[in-house]
Amino acid sequence: MAKFQRFQSNYVGRTGAPVGVFVAVDHLRRVGRLSEEEITRYAHTDAWFQENLPNPPFYADGNSIGAVT
């Protein structure tokens, strides 16, 4: 089985659990806390990850195992 590593922030999301780096940065983007340069860097980095790394297989069934993502 493939192994995945998750990096999370100290920021707690609406579910009460710490969120991953991409969710934390996207929250900062949505509330206007990022510069245009940071938004561009975030978009390029997110696109690279989407294109080059697989999503964990539990996403296919809606995360029935309840993994923290």
Side-chain angles (χ1 to χ4, degrees):
M1 173 181 253
K3 292 186 180 190
F4 296 89
Q5 186 170 21
R6 179 177 190 265
F7 295 93
Q8 69 185 40
S9 67
N10 289 330
Y11 176 75
V12 175
R14 68 181 186 282
T15 64
V19 299
V21 173
F22 286 95
V23 172
V25 173
D26 191 55
H27 176 79
L28 294 173
R29 181 193 60 79
R30 287 183 283 122
V31 297
R33 300 283 307 268
L34 299 181
S35 69
E36 288 301 317
E37 179 182 342
E38 290 168 327
I39 291 169
T40 299
R41 183 175 300 160
Y42 165 69
H44 288 175
T45 303
D46 185 56
W48 186 92
F49 273 81
Q50 293 294 328
E51 292 172 15
N52 292 282
L53 298 176
N55 278 320
F58 49 76
Y59 278 120
D61 72 358
N63 192 10
S64 64
I65 63 171
V68 176
T69 63

